[in-house]
């Protein structure tokens, strides 16, 4: 058995840790690039959202490289993500690929269900899978704290580009290390290197929050490296849409027997009466309210073209801007988004605030 | 406020084409006068387009237009919040957030009556909204609830009998028109598609001509799984009609950038292609010209004759 999985930001690192630990062969498809997107656009429905297009292209790359099992983290509800699985199955089968499909739905599945699902393809002791998942979760949190640190350094560094150089090195090396211990060591090492970067301690960078759809906010290729771009403009970027937040929200809070609302969901009640509009619609409104209250200098709302929940959320922005006095800019991303126009808009927004 | 003196406006858009008649009888039995907005026209469309964010889909924009056209004639405007109409069916996010979108998009203060339809958590959600609506209209809560159960609950939920009032009844060649009911039955948005087909001598069949249960059993690959209700409807209808002999073609009318359709269309297109049934995908938005629309339709009809 040979597993492949799609990319979403840096999820490939925890996935690698998990699969290394339980001793399953896997193929990591090449990180998203122009070619990936082209492949995806060719075989996807026209109006589906952008995440689908890159996900299916990743899987095609993986299957081409010899994988025979697909591991995919689905969801459910009013967002199309929950139905990707069925469509991916249909399209890839039509293309003549033969594969087994493993869907892990963090929102609805408990630890036991996930272990059972993995057991259908490989006979691995449950305790090993359990430990593997725990290590993978630990990795997620470590990596997100590393990226947070990088964001902190990038907008304050004295020599432009120092942080990016360190992070590039990390991205290159992380693919070659094996196992949780080594990944952890590499993260620690990179952390130290980031600390060595000379920072301008007096700098008071502008604070901009990135909100919106999680896939777009996490995947640097798709969002045209928004964090890096803003960082080099000397802006401190607060991206709360990270995998660790998502896991915390959908998996850890789900282990509690009663329903717990996150801060964002509670904050959103002021503007949205609907409890759920699918995806991150409610969270987007809630987060923009919270950032408004925290006196951020600006908010960038980023989502894929035709994303249904975000369009609903967008309607409330006019009121939020008025009430909290925080400027919000919506950026819609699709496969035709040009980098030059994108930079111009970011620059104009930063200049304005 | 005394009952009888208030008028509730019902916008002729979105769910009106499915459940409008039930809502009309709901208000009628409560003794409230209702007024349904006029059929969609260019003024309504333009009003709607102006007040919405530009990425909103066409039917939602038109719905805003209908609300604006009612603001002067009705005291309250009825905006239902459809969250889920039966166990495993979800509604489009835009229907869930409709009332909120309206609140922010329409700057004129609109007094709305909101009723939540959520069969998955019927008690809490729905009753709360009914209580609020009853308070606003000055009607006894229990009376409203019992009327609601009689007129709405029985008719909108799973397996309800669908009315086949759009069958043309003539003996022309059968053709299937798929799409959301608020697209295919809105004569303005669909540019009179059904009538045009009838004029050409076709018998037109739509999802509404099939029993809800049959549709749900045929809605591959989402049988017994969670999916959008309009998606299930179209998938089920497409795959039921597909297996009937003599269907000369299938036309799917979709508003531009519809999220649900982007999924369902792909499933339908692939299956029909394998079956060898001619399939036309018509996408419309507020800029679509009728001439281009007609050309596409005529070319398709010429092909299948």
């Amino acid at each position: 058995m040979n597993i492949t999985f799609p990319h979403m930001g840096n999820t490939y690192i925890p996935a690698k840790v998990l699969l290394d630990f339980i001793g399953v062969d896997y193929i990591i498809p090449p990180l998203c690039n122009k070619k990936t997107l082209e492949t995806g656009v060719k075989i996807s429905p026209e109006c589906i959202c952008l995440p689908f297009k890159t996900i299916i292209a990743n899987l095609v790359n993986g299957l081409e490289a010899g994988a025979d099992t697909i591991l995919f983290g689905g969801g459910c509800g009013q967002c199309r993500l929950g139905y990707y699985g069925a469509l991916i199955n249909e399209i890839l089968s039509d293309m003549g690929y033969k594969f087994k499909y493993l869907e892990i739905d963090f929102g609805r599945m408990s630890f036991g269900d996930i272990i059972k699902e993995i057991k259908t393809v490989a006979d691995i002791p449950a305790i090993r899978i359990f430990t593997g998942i725990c290590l993978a979760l630990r990795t997620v949190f470590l990596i997100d704290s590393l990226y947070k640190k990088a964001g902190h350094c990038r907008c304050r560094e004295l020599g432009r580009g120092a942080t990016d150089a360190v992070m590039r090195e990390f991205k290159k090396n992380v693919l070659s290390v094996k196992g949780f211990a080594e990944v952890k060591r590499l993260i620690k090492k990179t952390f130290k290197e980031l600390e060595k970067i000379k920072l301008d301690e007096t700098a008071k960078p502008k604070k901009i929050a990135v909100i919106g759809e999680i896939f777009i906010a996490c995947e640097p290729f798709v969002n045209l490296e928004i964090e890096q771009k803003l960082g080099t403009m000397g802006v401190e970027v607060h991206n709360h849409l990270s995998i660790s937040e998502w896991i915390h929200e959908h998996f850890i809070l789900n282990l509690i027997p009663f329903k717990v609302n996150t801060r964002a969901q509670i904050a959103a009640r002021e503007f949205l009466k609907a409890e759920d509009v699918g995806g991150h619609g409610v969270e987007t409104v809630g987060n923009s309210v919270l950032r408004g209250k925290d006196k951020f200098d600006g908010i960038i709302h980023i989502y894929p073209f035709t994303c249904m929940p975000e369009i609903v959320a967008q309607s409330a922005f006019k009121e939020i801007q008025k009430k909290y006095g925080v400027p919000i800019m919506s950026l819609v991303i699709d496969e035709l988004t040009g980098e030059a126009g994108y930079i111009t808009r970011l620059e104009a927004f930063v200049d304005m605030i | 406020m005394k009952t009888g003196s208030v008028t509730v406006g019902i916008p002729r858009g979105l769910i009106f084409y499915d459940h409008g008649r039930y809502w009309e009888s709901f208000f009628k039995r409560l003794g409230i006068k209702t007024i349904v907005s006029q059929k969609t026209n260019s003024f309504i469309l333009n009003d709607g387009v102006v007040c919405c964010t530009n990425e909103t889909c066409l039917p939602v924009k038109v719905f805003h237009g209908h609300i604006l056209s009612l603001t002067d004639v009705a005291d309250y405007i009825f905006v239902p919040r459809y969250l889920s109409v039966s166990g495993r069916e979800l509604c489009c996010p835009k229907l869930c957030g409709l009332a909120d979108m309206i609140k922010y998009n329409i700057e004129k203060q609109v007094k709305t009556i909101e009723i939540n339809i959520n069969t998955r958590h019927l008690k809490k959600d729905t009753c709360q909204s009914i209580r609020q609506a009853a308070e606003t209209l000055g009607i006894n809560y229990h009376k409203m609830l019992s009327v609601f159960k009689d007129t709405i609950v029985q008719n909108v939920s799973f397996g309800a009998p669908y009315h086949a009032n759009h069958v043309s009844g003539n003996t022309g060649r059968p053709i299937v028109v798929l799409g959301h009911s608020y697209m295919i039955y809105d004569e303005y948005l669909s540019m009179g598609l059904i009538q045009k087909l009838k004029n050409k001598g076709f018998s037109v069949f739509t999802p509404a001509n099939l029993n809800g249960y049959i549709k749900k059993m045929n809605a591959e690959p989402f049988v017994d799984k969670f999916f959008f209700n309009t998606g299930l409807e179209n998938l089920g209808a497409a795959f039921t009609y597909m297996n009937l002999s003599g269907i000369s073609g299938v036309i799917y009318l979709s508003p531009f950038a519809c999220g649900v359709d982007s999924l369902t269309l792909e499933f339908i297109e692939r299956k029909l292609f394998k079956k060898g049934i001619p399939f036309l995908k018509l996408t419309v938005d507020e800029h679509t010209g009728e001439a281009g629309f007609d050309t596409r339709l005529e070319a398709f009809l010429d092909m299948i004759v």
Side-chain angles (χ1 to χ4, degrees):
Chain A
M1 189 191 55
N2 208 337
I3 285 188
T4 189
F5 50 85
H7 285 297
M8 171 171 159
N10 43 40
T11 40
Y12 63 95
I13 306 171
K16 202 168 117 73
V17 167
L18 168 67
L19 296 172
D20 272 339
F21 187 80
I22 62 175
V24 172
D25 289 331
Y26 58 88
I27 287 171
I28 300 183
L31 289 179
C32 294
N33 53 47
K34 261 216 162 87
K35 197 96 193 279
T36 320
L37 197 53
E38 274 171 26
T39 322
V41 169
K42 220 186 304 173
I43 56 177
S44 307
E46 184 189 353
C47 281
I48 196 112
C49 37
L50 192 57
F52 183 88
K53 292 175 183 168
T54 63
I55 284 173
I56 196 162
N58 288 150
L59 296 176
V60 167
N61 288 339
L63 291 173
E64 286 284 331
D68 58 11
T69 308
I70 288 173
L71 180 70
F72 182 64
C76 64
Q78 272 111 333
C79 171
R80 273 175 285 181
L81 176 75
Y83 314 112
Y84 277 8
L87 193 54
I88 286 173
N89 247 325
E90 179 97 11
I91 293 178
L92 292 183
S93 309
D94 273 0
M95 287 172 77
Y97 292 111
K98 293 222 161 32
F99 56 90
K100 251 193 95 97
Y101 185 77
L102 282 187
E103 181 154 323
I104 293 183
D105 179 346
F106 283 105
R108 202 169 300 164
M109 286 162 107
S110 64
F111 256 123
D113 295 335
I114 295 175
I115 290 170
K116 230 183 267 164
E117 185 80 29
I118 295 179
K119 273 199 148 190
T120 57
V121 289
D123 195 26
I124 301 160
I127 184 74
R128 206 169 169 79
I129 301 177
F130 179 80
T131 324
I133 293 174
C134 288
L135 289 178
L137 291 179
R138 181 94 188 87
T139 319
V140 170
F141 285 91
L142 283 174
I143 288 172
D144 277 345
S145 65
L146 177 70
Y147 273 79
K148 219 175 211 165
K149 175 81 185 165
H152 177 84
C153 293
R154 195 176 286 123
C155 57
R156 293 183 173 85
E157 64 193 5
L158 284 171
R160 281 271 172 255
T163 313
D164 288 343
V166 173
M167 292 311 286
R168 247 200 312 276
E169 194 66 16
F170 169 74
K171 265 189 165 176
K172 209 172 77 194
N173 290 336
V174 79
L175 284 171
S176 56
V177 297
K178 228 173 153 57
F180 176 69
E182 282 185 43
V183 171
K184 193 174 163 191
R185 205 172 307 134
L186 182 67
I187 293 174
K188 283 254 164 73
K189 196 180 129 224
T190 316
F191 219 93
K192 283 211 184 92
E193 274 170 40
L194 283 177
E195 271 169 0
K196 272 188 229 148
I197 294 172
K198 285 207 178 92
L199 299 183
D200 178 4
E201 296 299 341
T202 57
K204 279 216 179 81
K206 293 235 164 74
K207 280 203 295 187
I208 288 185
V210 174
I211 59 168
E213 202 278 330
I214 186 164
F215 184 93
I216 302 288
C218 281
E219 177 57 55
F221 169 73
V222 172
N223 66 28
L224 304 163
E225 289 167 339
I226 187 167
E227 287 190 37
Q228 204 180 327
K229 286 207 168 79
L230 286 171
T232 34
M233 286 176 204
V235 174
E236 194 176 64
V237 185
H238 288 248
N239 187 352
H240 288 262
L241 293 160
S242 53
I243 316 282
S244 53
E245 288 276 325
W246 190 86
I247 286 174
H248 177 74
E249 219 173 87
H250 286 85
F251 193 58
I252 296 175
L253 285 185
N254 259 7
L255 294 176
I256 306 169
F258 48 87
K259 194 171 184 288
V260 187
N261 284 319
T262 56
R263 269 181 75 211
Q265 282 164 342
I266 294 164
R269 283 196 194 138
E270 190 183 339
F271 289 93
L272 271 191
K273 271 204 204 154
E275 276 199 10
D276 186 13
V277 292
H280 276 75
V282 172
E283 280 83 355
T284 296
V285 174
N287 278 329
S288 55
V289 171
L290 289 176
R291 307 300 156 247
K293 279 184 185 160
D294 290 347
K295 297 270 172 278
F296 270 62
D297 295 298
I299 294 175
I300 292 178
H301 175 223
I302 188 164
Y303 67 97
F305 181 57
T306 78
C307 178
M308 304 189 278
E310 299 301 328
I311 294 173
V312 177
Q314 208 182 10
S315 308
F317 285 168
K318 211 161 46 179
E319 281 306 299
I320 295 172
Q321 294 190 56
K322 225 186 272 167
K323 182 157 181 199
Y324 294 103
V326 54
I328 303 177
M329 174 171 72
S330 283
L331 284 177
V332 189
I333 310 280
D334 74 355
E335 62 269 23
L336 301 172
T337 305
E339 193 162 4
Y342 187 79
I343 296 176
T344 314
R345 295 186 65 187
L346 287 182
E347 277 172 354
F349 186 70
V350 172
D351 284 349
M352 188 200 76
I353 58 173
Chain B
M1 204 178 289
K2 241 174 66 196
T3 326
S5 58
V6 267
T7 321
V8 170
I10 301 181
R12 193 187 288 272
L14 298 176
I15 56 88
F16 177 84
Y17 292 93
D18 284 324
H19 303 145
R21 55 182 180 275
Y22 307 132
W23 287 110
E24 275 181 88
S25 72
F26 168 73
F27 286 112
K28 204 171 148 197
R29 283 191 47 187
L30 288 172
I32 295 168
K33 236 177 32 197
T34 54
I35 178 165
V36 179
S37 60
Q38 52 191 304
K39 288 188 177 168
T40 313
N41 54 41
S42 59
F43 297 107
I44 286 181
L45 175 65
N46 288 340
D47 285 350
V49 169
V50 168
C51 69
C52 284
T53 54
N54 42 11
E55 258 205 78
T56 317
C57 65
L58 183 63
V60 173
K61 283 177 179 166
V62 168
F63 192 80
H64 281 73
H66 280 288
I67 289 184
L68 284 172
S69 78
L70 283 170
T71 44
D72 297 331
V73 288
D75 301 305
Y76 293 99
I77 294 168
F78 170 65
V79 182
R81 194 193 284 280
Y82 274 69
L83 294 155
S84 163
V85 284
S86 85
R88 288 178 189 275
E89 291 177 34
L90 303 163
C91 293
C92 168
K94 284 174 197 151
L95 289 185
C96 303
L98 190 62
D100 298 308
M101 288 170 93
I102 285 159
K103 197 164 98 197
Y104 299 118
N105 286 338
I106 298 181
E107 295 192 345
K108 240 196 267 180
Q109 273 294 314
V110 192
K111 281 191 260 177
T112 54
I113 301 282
E114 268 179 55
I115 291 181
N116 290 6
I117 316 293
N118 189 354
T119 46
R120 290 171 67 203
H121 311 280
L122 181 74
K123 287 232 161 67
K124 188 183 145 236
D125 251 17
T126 312
C127 295
Q128 222 165 21
S129 67
I130 290 180
R131 191 179 288 275
Q132 213 165 16
E135 240 167 63
T136 323
L137 290 170
I139 294 172
N140 182 293
Y141 162 66
H142 295 286
K143 186 184 166 199
M144 197 165 192
L145 192 64
S146 74
V147 174
F148 178 78
K149 278 181 186 153
D150 280 357
T151 50
I152 308 296
V153 175
Q154 286 191 356
N155 289 315
V156 302
S157 62
F158 175 70
Y162 277 72
H163 291 264
N165 46 359
H166 292 281
V167 189
S168 59
N170 66 19
T171 50
R173 299 185 60 194
I175 195 163
V176 178
V177 174
L178 300 176
H180 305 282
S181 53
Y182 46 77
M183 287 302 296
I184 53 180
Y185 301 135
D186 188 319
E187 281 159 29
Y188 186 78
L189 293 186
S190 70
M191 310 214 181
L193 176 63
I194 291 179
Q195 197 52 48
K196 277 176 190 162
L197 289 170
K198 281 183 188 168
N199 292 346
K200 297 249 176 198
F202 285 95
S203 312
V204 181
F205 290 89
T206 64
N209 298 132
L210 289 174
N211 176 289
Y213 185 73
I214 292 178
K215 276 183 277 190
K216 256 148 244 172
M217 295 315 288
N218 280 298
E220 289 289 342
F222 296 108
V223 180
D224 272 345
K225 291 198 181 125
F226 278 89
F227 198 56
F228 302 104
N229 62 335
T230 51
L232 284 175
E233 187 121 314
N234 284 313
L235 281 174
F239 300 149
T240 313
Y241 284 125
M242 185 178 84
N243 292 320
L244 303 177
S245 60
I247 294 291
S248 49
V250 177
I251 298 177
Y252 198 118
L253 184 71
S254 155
F256 176 64
C258 173
V260 182
D261 281 351
S262 68
L263 291 166
T264 47
L265 263 171
E266 191 68 16
F267 287 114
I268 293 175
E269 201 173 356
R270 279 169 189 272
K271 279 242 171 68
L272 289 181
F273 180 74
K274 283 181 207 156
K275 261 261 173 187
I277 295 174
F279 179 65
L280 173 69
K281 183 161 76 176
L282 283 172
T283 311
V284 291
D285 69 359
E286 60 266 35
H287 307 297
T288 306
E290 192 159 358
F293 182 89
D294 285 351
T295 313
R296 280 151 75 195
L297 184 64
E298 275 162 21
F300 178 72
L301 294 179
D302 285 348
M303 189 195 76
I304 63 172
V305 164

